[in-house]
Structure formats: C-alpha cells, structure tokens
Amino acid sequence: MTTAADARSPATGYALVAIAASSWGLWPLILDRASAFGGIDSSLESLIVMLALTLGAAPIMLRDRVSGRAPLRAWVALGWLGVTDAMNVVLFFRAYQTTSVAIAVVTHYLAPLFVALAAPIFLSEKSKQRTYVTAFAGFCGLVILLHPWTADRKPNDLLGAGYGAASAVFYASNVIVNKRLMPYFSGSELAFFHGLVSVPLLWAFVPTGAWQDADPRGLWWLLLGAIGPGAVSGLLFVWGLRRIQASRASTLTLLEPFVAVLTAAVFLHQPVSIATFVGGAIILASAALVVSRP
C-alpha cells in the first residue's frame, strides 16, 4: 500500500532501488580493504553499518513523517523489522568472511525467491504456479553452485553458503515487513525506529575486546561503507520500495550480486569457476522469473 504521491513516481522508485542495489555490490571491496589492516569481527562490522543508518535517518525523519498514529501491531512489527535487519546484515557479512564472494552473494540472493513465495500470504499478491517451479530450479542452481562432489570445494564453502541462505530468509522478511509498514511510517522513520532495536541487538553480539583489536585504518574503511552502501543506500532503498511493488524491487536488487562478483573478480582477483557461473545464473534467472510479470 502506497500513498498517492508515491504511486505517481514509479520511475523514481526503480532508480532509487537500482542505485542502492548496485552500491551494495561494492561491499566485498570495502570489507576486503577494511580487513587488510587486521580482521574485524562481522558483528562489529554490522553494528557500525546499522549505527550509521540509524543516526543518518534521525535528522531526515524530522521532516519526513507519516501523519497519524500507528497502531500497536505496527510498532510490534517494527520491532521485528529491527531484529530481521540485524540478523540479515550480521549473517551476510559473516558469509563474506567465511566463503568466496560468489557463493556468499548468490546464496544471499535466494531472498527474491523467498519474497515471491511469501508475498501471496503476507502481501495478498496473486500466486503463480511458475513460482514453485522456479523455486525448485533455484535450489538446483544452489547445488550446482556449491558442487560438493568436486575436490576444489573449500571446507568453509558449505558453512558460508549456510550463512548466506540464512541471511536471505531475514532479508526476505525485511522486505515483506517494510512493505506492510509503509502506510504507518515514512522511509526515514522505518530506518530510524528499527535501528533502535537493531543497534542494541548487534552490540550484544560484539565480542569483548573487538573494538580494541580493530585497526583504526580498517574502521575508517568500514565507516566509509557504513555511510555510502550502508546509510545512504539503505534510505534510498526504503524510499524506492514505497513507490514500486515488493516483487519489482526484489528483481532490481539482483544487481547487487552481479556487481559484487564482478568487483571481486576485477579488484580482488577471486576466480569464478564454470560451476559458480552456471549455478549462479540459474539462481538469479529463477529469481527474476519468479518476481517478474509475463
């Protein structure tokens, strides 16, 4: 459900979501630069990003408000949004630290499949038979991507894929709940208020001494990412999501894995095997078919 002003500007929504998703694809490069000065725990990385998003949304929220009082159920859902976003970010960053960029981002982008499967239930969108067919195709693509029958698979690839797939579940929940809450909160209100839940939760995950062990040079790189792909792109995404359907937004976010894998191949010199390419292509094609209209 969107406001009349939102409905008149779908092109702006497409542009905002596309810009946000493309910038998220730069995370592998930013995290690599940050870790070059010593490892930074994924919980601390997630905390810094979420803190930047919350603080950045605060001043904008003063002018970007939805009139009227939200019901109690909306505030409860907003609390759940904070939990899902915290788990999405921390699991996704942990996937990056555990396995290759290709496996991390492609398993994370099972999320559009999950959104398509959940949308008929939670957003009253019409279900399609091809949704279930392509969901199975996406699972087959995941098996090809991991190719557990070959000797070149690293021991942590399955664990990293698990982190990526788990983050996809929370990411999908994030998109669904965001869409349901838009009649009651503006984009900046969603970013700020859900951060009041996400930040303390992520802070509890940060190991003792993680701040002291982190090199300041690495933290500066992480802060750069927290401001750009974190705070700015997070706001662009929720503003764009107000203007277009959740399934359309999910399609556009598939720009992230392409940018991420390309960035990793060009700047981080990570190899892209044939199995990774074929499996990833099947997953992304399945997701695009699920969430696109005939």
Side-chain angles (χ1 to χ4, degrees), residues 115-127:
V115 170
L117 292 170
I121 301 172
F122 298 104
L123 297 178
S124 301
E125 293 184 1
K126 208 171 186 181
S127 62

Side-chain angles (χ1 to χ4, degrees), residues 53-141:
L53 174 60
T54 305
L55 295 177
I60 302 174
M61 182 189 66
L62 298 177
R63 297 177 59 87
D64 180 28
R65 305 291 299 272
V66 171
S67 59
R69 293 185 60 181
L72 178 61
R73 68 178 184 277
W75 286 103
V76 172
L78 187 59
W80 174 245
L81 181 65
V83 174
T84 59
D85 206 15
M87 297 305 298
N88 164 44
V89 176
V90 74
L91 287 168
F92 189 29
F93 283 3
R94 188 152 295 176
Y96 270 143
Q97 292 183 348
T98 306
T99 185
S100 68
V101 169
I103 291 178
V105 297
V106 176
T107 52
H108 175 71
Y109 268 88
L110 287 167
L113 293 171
F114 299 152
V115 170
L117 292 170
I121 301 172
F122 298 104
L123 297 178
S124 301
E125 293 184 1
K126 208 171 186 181
S127 62
K128 301 174 183 177
Q129 185 177 7
R130 65 174 181 166
T131 298
Y132 306 103
V133 174
T134 51
F136 177 73
F139 174 77
C140 294

